[in-house]
Amino acid sequence: MNTLRELLERARATLSPSSEDPLLDSQVLLAHVMGCDRSWLYGWPEHVPDTPQIQQFERLVAQRKAGHPIAHLTGEREFWSLCLGVSHDTLVPRPETEDLVEIALGLDLPPDARVLDLGTGSGAIAVALATERRGWQITAIDASAGAIDVARHNAEQFGLSNIGFLLSDWFAALPAHRRFDLIISNPPYIAMGDPHLTRGDLRFEPQQALVSGIDGLDAIRHIVDTAPAYLEPGAWLWLEHGADQGGRVAALLRQRGFGEVRSHRDLAGHDRHCGGRFDAPGPHPGRGSPP
Ligand code: GLN
């Protein structure tokens, strides 16, 4: 028989060798197919779904067994308590990126701040900031048209009108006169050939959103170099980076002339975010002058 209880039990056994939490994965996929909460599955353990629902569930379980991320199979992932659409064109939003949102909200930005989110992907950062600060004007850029479609859909589903989207390779299509109070980014930062890329969910996420040159820092170098041209005097740049890149990213920011450079650790205790303020170019009163 194909009762909910039996379907869950069979899926759990199928996923046991490969998945970290086979029961949770089975519940999430079955609830998705049934269009219900996970708790409903336990309220009606003897319910027998329709044949197409059973077939869809078995297809999803097979894809999960092959390694596909749960978020790609259900098409959604919770971020900042928002249920965001995701697709194969986007990175699956990670919990540590919520820290970047929190950092941005903690900066002393004006109520009508202009913010640029570079490499927005599913729009996670831009959408979270836009829901928290309705007065901010956010520009969200991505080089993938598929990602821009997903991000735009996410903004629309929350009725957000304070995000503008731009298909662009980093700053390339951004008009030269644009200035921002904050530039924020979770760019690709994994090194080419890193063995993590052949494991787990990373195998199925867009390489473009993950990998950035031999040391993983190509995108970050480009952003740090170019951002000052688009920042108001004293404005912020904040970046997510790899667990072992904190010192190098802080050094890049300082070399480019950023001040108040700060690092922030994730829950695992790794430096994960780094930011600084860019001063106005030109002479600094007092600096370098004789006593
Ligand atoms: N944090 C992700 C990971 O290592 C990578 C995301 C990124 O490159 N921006 O799984």
Side-chain angles (χ1 to χ4, degrees), residues 116-121 139-143 148 166 168-171 174:
L116 175 63
D117 175 21
L118 286 170
T120 196
T139 302
I141 280 181
D142 207 283
I148 291 282
L166 183 63
S168 176
D169 183 8
W170 303 122
F171 299 90
L174 192 64

Side-chain angles (χ1 to χ4, degrees), residues 91-92 94 96-97 185-190 196 202 205 207 209-212 240-243 272:
L91 199 73
V92 178
R94 310 281 205 270
E96 57 267 28
T97 306
S185 181
N186 174 19
Y189 52 70
I190 299 178
H196 290 101
L202 269 60
E205 292 178 287
Q207 293 288 300
L210 292 169
V211 182
S212 196
E240 183 168 318
H241 56 70
R272 180 62 68 185

Side-chain angles (χ1 to χ4, degrees), residues 76-97:
E76 61 194 32
R77 171 54 47 96
E78 193 173 303
F79 180 86
W80 200 259
S81 299
L82 303 165
C83 182
L84 294 180
V86 298
S87 81
H88 289 94
D89 292 310
T90 71
L91 199 73
V92 178
R94 310 281 205 270
E96 57 267 28
T97 306

Side-chain angles (χ1 to χ4, degrees), residues 27-185:
Q27 292 168 344
V28 170
L29 293 177
L30 190 51
H32 171 70
V33 168
M34 302 299 298
C36 67
D37 291 335
R38 281 195 287 136
S39 57
W40 191 88
L41 304 173
Y42 286 94
W44 306 93
E46 303 307 322
H47 174 77
V48 178
D50 304 342
T51 305
Q53 290 173 317
I54 295 171
Q55 286 169 343
Q56 190 195 351
F57 176 61
E58 286 173 347
R59 227 175 12 251
L60 291 175
V61 170
Q63 285 176 291
R64 180 60 185 150
K65 191 175 169 58
H68 289 271
I70 286 281
H72 283 168
L73 300 178
T74 61
E76 61 194 32
R77 171 54 47 96
E78 193 173 303
F79 180 86
W80 200 259
S81 299
L82 303 165
C83 182
L84 294 180
V86 298
S87 81
H88 289 94
D89 292 310
T90 71
L91 199 73
V92 178
R94 310 281 205 270
E96 57 267 28
T97 306
E98 294 178 348
D99 289 6
L100 197 53
V101 172
E102 211 164 293
I103 290 168
L105 295 175
L107 301 171
D108 57 344
L109 297 184
D112 58 350
R114 284 149 305 155
V115 176
L116 175 63
D117 175 21
L118 286 170
T120 196
S122 63
I125 296 173
V127 168
L129 292 178
T131 57
E132 294 289 337
R133 298 284 186 270
R134 298 284 172 151
W136 287 9
Q137 287 302 320
I138 299 171
T139 302
I141 280 181
D142 207 283
S144 152
I148 291 282
D149 284 348
V150 172
R152 191 175 272 129
H153 162 83
N154 281 325
E156 279 166 9
Q157 66 155 326
F158 296 108
L160 298 168
S161 54
N162 55 336
I163 311 181
F165 294 94
L166 183 63
L167 181 66
S168 176
D169 183 8
W170 303 122
F171 299 90
L174 192 64
H177 69 271
R178 297 288 303 273
R179 295 291 177 275
F180 298 92
D181 301 295
L182 166 67
I183 297 179
I184 194 165
S185 181

Side-chain angles (χ1 to χ4, degrees), residues 3-30 38 41-42 57-58 60-62 64-65 70:
T3 64
L4 293 175
R5 187 166 45 76
E6 288 158 327
L7 287 168
L8 278 179
E9 185 44 43
R10 279 210 302 277
R12 194 191 58 73
T14 305
L15 296 177
S16 281
S18 51
S19 161
E20 268 177 36
D21 195 337
L23 181 58
L24 180 64
D25 284 1
S26 308
Q27 292 168 344
V28 170
L29 293 177
L30 190 51
R38 281 195 287 136
L41 304 173
Y42 286 94
F57 176 61
E58 286 173 347
L60 291 175
V61 170
R64 180 60 185 150
K65 191 175 169 58
I70 286 281

